[in-house]
Amino acid sequence: MESNLILYNTLSRKKEEFKPLNPPFVGLYVCGPTVYGDAHLGHARPAITFDLLFRYLKYLGYKVRFVRNITDVGHLVNDADEGEDKIAKKARLEELEPMEIVQYFTDRYHKNMDDLNTLKPSIEPRASGHIIEQQALVEKILENGFAYESDGSVYFDVEAYNKEFHYGKLSGRNIEDLQANTRTLDGQSEKRKPFDFALWKKASAEHIMRWPSRWSDGFPGWHLECSCMSQKYLGDRFDIHGGGLDLQFPHHECEIAQSTAAYGHDPVSYWMHNNMVTINGQKMGKSLGNFITLDQLFSGDNDVLEQAYSPMTVRFFMLQAHYRSPLDFSNEALKAAEKGYKRLMNAVDSIKKITASDKSSVDVNALKEKCFAALNDDMNTPILISHLFEGVKIINTIISGKESIDKEGLEELTKLYNDFAFDILGLLPSEESNSGNNETLEKLVETLIEIRKTAKANKDWATADAVRDKFKEAGIEIKDTAEGVEWKLAN
RNA sequence: GGUCUCUUGGCCGAGUGGCUAGGCAGUGGUCUGCAAAACCAUCUACGGCGGUUCGAAUCCGCCAGAGACCUCCA
C-alpha cells in the first residue's frame, strides 16, 4: 500500500501522510444530510468530495468501510420556531407522520446522489434507529462525570471536560472565547454554562418526535448521533471523519468531546472538511434561502438558472476546484465546465479510434505519474484535471497523425483515462451517444446520411447542408471527418 | 465584538521565492466544399502601500475589500 497519499488534517492544520490504523482497513465517517428538505448544490460538495476519497482509497487497495448517516431525528430550528424539532415542524405543517417526511426526502436524496454517480456508503445508519445506543452513550458520559441532568434534560459539562481535555482543539477555540460569545438559547436556564450542550433534551408538549428515557420523554442531543454511530460501526478509534466546514464548530467539536468523554481518547485520526459553495460570494444555505436544489439544477427550473446542467457537469464543475477552496456558483462557470467536460469526454471516447504504431513519440507514463502526484497531494483534482487535458491534447494530436503511440502506450493511455476519469473522479461517459438505444432512429439517420453522401458526391451542397441543418434542429449533430461521417445526439 | 480564511488575467480556477497551470471566452492561422471538431500561435494576472531578499504574485507588517464560524446548516 505504498500510496504516499497526503491529506490535510483539520486537527493539525497541516498536510499529513495518510496512515490507517489497521491497514488495509480504513474507517471513513461522513456527516450526511438532515432529511427535511431537498438536497441543494451545497450538499453535492461533501457528497462528491468524500465519494472521490472513497473511490481513491479503494483504488489504492484499501478495504474501506464508509459510513454516512441520515439525520432523521431533527435538530433545533432557529429562534422563530422556539426550538422545535425541524422534522416535527415540517410534519405538522404538512400533516404527515414525521417518518413519511423522512422517507420522502431520503428517497429524493438517494436519487440525487445516484444522478451524481456517487457510490453508496457501506452503511447508512439513521439516528432514529439508534436511540438506545445514544441513551447508553449519555449514561456513559454521565458515569464519567462529564455531564449533568437538569429538569429531564442532560447536558454536557464543557468546563469539567476542559479541565482534562481541550474543548476547542479542532476549531482552534478556547473556553474563554466561548464564554463571551455564546448566545442565549432556549433552555439556557437549565444549563450551568451557556456553552454546555444537550445530550438528551426533554420534549415539550407539542414536540411530536420523542422517545422514552429514564430522564424524560425526549430526544437525543444535536451532536450525539455521530459520536454514537461512528463508534458503533467503526470503533472508538477510526481513520477519517469528513463533513462540511460549517460543521467544524460546534458539531464536530462536540463530537470529539462526547467521544473523548465516553472513551477517554480522541476518536478520529484525520478530520477533513470541504469548503462551501457560494452564490454571489455568499454561502448557499437553507437559512439564507439562496440555495438551488439539485433537482432544479438538473432541470433548469430556477430563476437564477439560464439553462439546465447535467449531473456530470455539476460533478465536473466541483472537481475543477479544490475541495478546501470556496466555490462560487455562476451560469458562466457552469457553462464553461459543461464545455470542458464534453471536450474531455470526446477525447476519451476517441481513444478507441487510435491505431498503434511501432514506436511512441509520447510519454504516457510521465503523464500517469503526474496524475498520481496531483491526487496524492490532498486530492488536488484541479491539477489532476489539468493533466488530463494535457492528455487530451496528446490524444487529439495522435489522431491527427502528428504524434504516434505504440501498442503498450495505447493500452496504458486507455487505462489511464479509465482509471482516473471514470473510476476515481467518478465521471460518466458523456450521455451523447449514437450507440443505438433506438434502432429505428439509428436506421433512419443512417439512411439520411447515405442520401446526403450522394448529394455531396454530386456537389449538391444545398441538399447536404439542409440535411445537416435539419438534423441539428432535431438535436442530431453531424460531423464530416477524415474517417467518414459521424453523428450523435446532442443534449 | 471574538476566532479564522481569502483577494490571481474577460469568467472559473491551480500553483510556486527565480522556470507556460488548466478549462471557458477572445484574436490570428492550419485543415474542411462549407460547418463542426481538432491542432498551432497569441492577448488580458497575481487588491493597495511598505519591508525582508541578488530576486516576491509567492515570506513579514500595515491598509482596503470579501467571506466563514461563533445559532440548525454540507
Side-chain angles (χ1 to χ4, degrees):
Chain A
M1 219 79 56
E2 286 300 311
S3 67
N4 306 316
L5 175 62
I6 305 284
L7 296 173
Y8 181 87
N9 191 347
T10 309
L11 207 50
S12 65
R13 288 159 197 273
K14 284 194 204 106
K15 288 184 187 175
E16 296 175 7
E17 192 183 335
F18 175 64
K19 286 193 180 134
L21 293 164
N22 304 300
F25 301 100
V26 173
L28 169 65
Y29 188 94
V30 175
C31 289
T34 303
V35 281
Y36 69 109
D38 273 336
H40 58 73
L41 189 53
H43 290 96
R45 194 100 195 254
I48 290 167
T49 298
F50 295 106
D51 182 57
L52 170 74
L53 180 62
F54 184 35
R55 284 168 178 273
Y56 190 45
L57 288 171
K58 290 208 298 185
Y59 180 85
L60 292 173
Y62 291 113
K63 304 227 177 305
V64 188
R65 180 179 294 161
F66 172 26
V67 180
R68 185 179 64 203
N69 63 301
I70 293 280
T71 297
D72 60 354
V73 166
H75 292 306
L76 289 180
V77 290
N78 62 32
D79 45 12
D81 300 299
E82 299 292 320
E84 197 177 356
D85 188 298
K86 267 181 195 170
I87 288 166
K89 179 182 176 236
K90 188 96 177 176
R92 224 195 33 214
L93 286 174
E94 300 189 4
E95 293 181 38
L96 293 166
E97 271 297 319
M99 282 300 154
E100 276 186 281
I101 306 281
V102 162
Q103 190 66 54
Y104 177 77
F105 286 114
T106 301
D107 287 348
R108 289 171 68 85
Y109 178 75
H110 285 153
K111 170 75 168 60
N112 288 154
M113 291 302 110
D114 287 348
D115 285 344
L116 288 170
N117 197 33
T118 62
L119 300 176
K120 293 185 197 324
S122 323
I123 303 174
E124 197 171 44
R126 293 177 167 206
S128 64
H130 297 76
I131 299 295
I132 289 171
E133 289 90 337
Q134 292 182 75
Q135 291 180 353
L137 187 57
V138 175
E139 289 287 10
K140 197 158 175 83
I141 296 171
L142 274 167
E143 274 168 32
N144 292 351
F146 296 112
Y148 56 89
E149 192 184 341
S150 175
D151 191 27
S153 293
V154 181
Y155 293 96
F156 191 89
D157 189 339
V158 171
E159 209 158 53
Y161 174 81
N162 198 58
K163 285 195 179 116
E164 280 188 52
F165 307 99
H166 175 196
Y167 181 78
K169 64 193 286 186
L170 181 68
S171 54
R173 281 153 218 258
N174 58 56
I175 201 163
E176 292 79 26
D177 296 339
L178 296 163
Q179 192 98 35
N181 289 307
T182 306
R183 211 179 64 162
T184 308
L185 275 177
D186 177 48
Q188 181 106 301
S189 54
E190 301 164 5
K191 295 201 278 185
R192 291 183 190 160
K193 291 284 177 182
F195 43 64
D196 289 347
F197 55 91
L199 297 176
W200 185 263
K201 194 99 168 70
K202 185 165 105 177
S204 54
E206 64 275 15
H207 199 105
I208 54 179
M209 287 192 102
R210 55 168 67 205
W211 291 266
S213 77
R214 77 171 176 90
W215 309 288
S216 63
D217 269 17
F219 51 96
W222 323 307
H223 312 295
L224 201 62
E225 62 181 76
C226 291
S227 285
C228 182
M229 297 190 294
S230 62
Q231 186 274 137
K232 173 158 181 170
Y233 298 111
L234 298 172
D236 55 32
R237 291 180 201 270
F238 61 97
D239 298 297
I240 306 173
H241 188 127
L245 195 58
D246 49 351
L247 296 177
Q248 192 178 313
F249 189 90
H251 183 61
H252 291 158
E253 202 69 76
C254 295
E255 250 186 270
I256 291 176
Q258 289 167 161
S259 297
T260 307
Y263 308 111
H265 55 79
D266 253 354
V268 176
S269 306
Y270 302 87
W271 283 90
M272 293 177 68
H273 293 94
N274 62 275
N275 215 312
M276 303 290 101
V277 177
T278 60
I279 180 162
N280 298 320
Q282 196 185 30
K283 184 176 122 175
M284 191 176 282
K286 202 121 244 174
S287 46
L288 295 164
N290 61 349
F291 60 93
I292 304 166
T293 69
L294 290 171
D295 280 342
Q296 289 169 347
L297 209 56
F298 302 158
S299 68
D301 183 23
N302 183 305
D303 288 346
V304 307
L305 298 172
E306 289 169 14
Q307 58 167 83
Y309 301 99
S310 74
M312 279 307 111
T313 296
V314 174
R315 186 166 180 120
F316 188 75
F317 171 65
M318 298 227 158
L319 292 170
Q320 269 195 306
H322 186 84
Y323 75 91
R324 284 192 289 115
S325 298
L327 177 60
D328 197 54
F329 164 87
S330 72
N331 282 285
E332 233 179 336
L334 260 301
K335 283 181 199 167
E338 181 176 56
K339 288 196 181 170
Y341 166 65
K342 278 187 182 165
R343 179 168 141 84
L344 178 64
M345 285 304 130
N346 283 342
V348 174
D349 194 45
S350 58
I351 293 175
K352 293 198 282 275
K353 293 195 288 195
I354 297 176
T355 44
S357 311
D358 292 338
K359 48 185 182 183
S360 236
S361 62
V362 296
D363 190 346
V364 180
N365 204 49
L367 184 65
K368 186 174 81 182
E369 292 303 319
K370 285 198 278 186
C371 289
F372 275 116
L375 217 40
N376 284 335
D377 182 16
D378 193 30
M379 302 204 294
N380 198 326
T381 51
I383 292 291
L384 168 60
I385 289 171
S386 81
H387 294 323
L388 293 180
F389 274 112
E390 245 176 75
V392 166
K393 201 166 274 189
I394 291 172
I395 291 164
N396 288 327
T397 313
I398 295 170
I399 289 169
S400 71
K402 287 180 198 133
E403 302 273 6
S404 60
I405 190 165
D406 59 21
K407 191 163 172 288
E408 200 184 327
L410 183 57
E411 279 168 15
E412 215 174 346
L413 188 70
T414 306
K415 180 165 164 39
L416 188 149
Y417 279 88
N418 202 52
D419 288 0
F420 283 100
F422 301 137
D423 287 355
I424 297 171
L425 291 181
L427 298 169
L428 291 169
S430 180
E431 298 95 64
E432 300 169 355
S433 169
N434 62 355
S435 54
N437 46 9
N438 185 331
E439 221 174 299
T440 314
L441 175 70
E442 203 174 335
K443 285 234 169 74
L444 187 66
V445 173
E446 298 292 351
T447 307
L448 284 163
I449 285 176
E450 278 306 310
I451 291 169
R452 178 164 174 271
K453 210 165 155 187
T454 313
K456 279 177 70 178
N458 295 330
K459 294 200 191 286
D460 178 5
W461 308 127
T463 305
D465 291 350
V467 171
R468 189 170 60 198
D469 291 345
K470 290 286 179 196
F471 267 8
K472 192 162 188 187
E473 279 174 35
I476 296 164
E477 277 173 18
I478 293 188
K479 276 198 283 185
D480 297 324
T481 72
E483 288 80 35
V485 182
E486 289 178 10
W487 69 276
K488 64 182 179 185
L489 293 172
N491 51 341

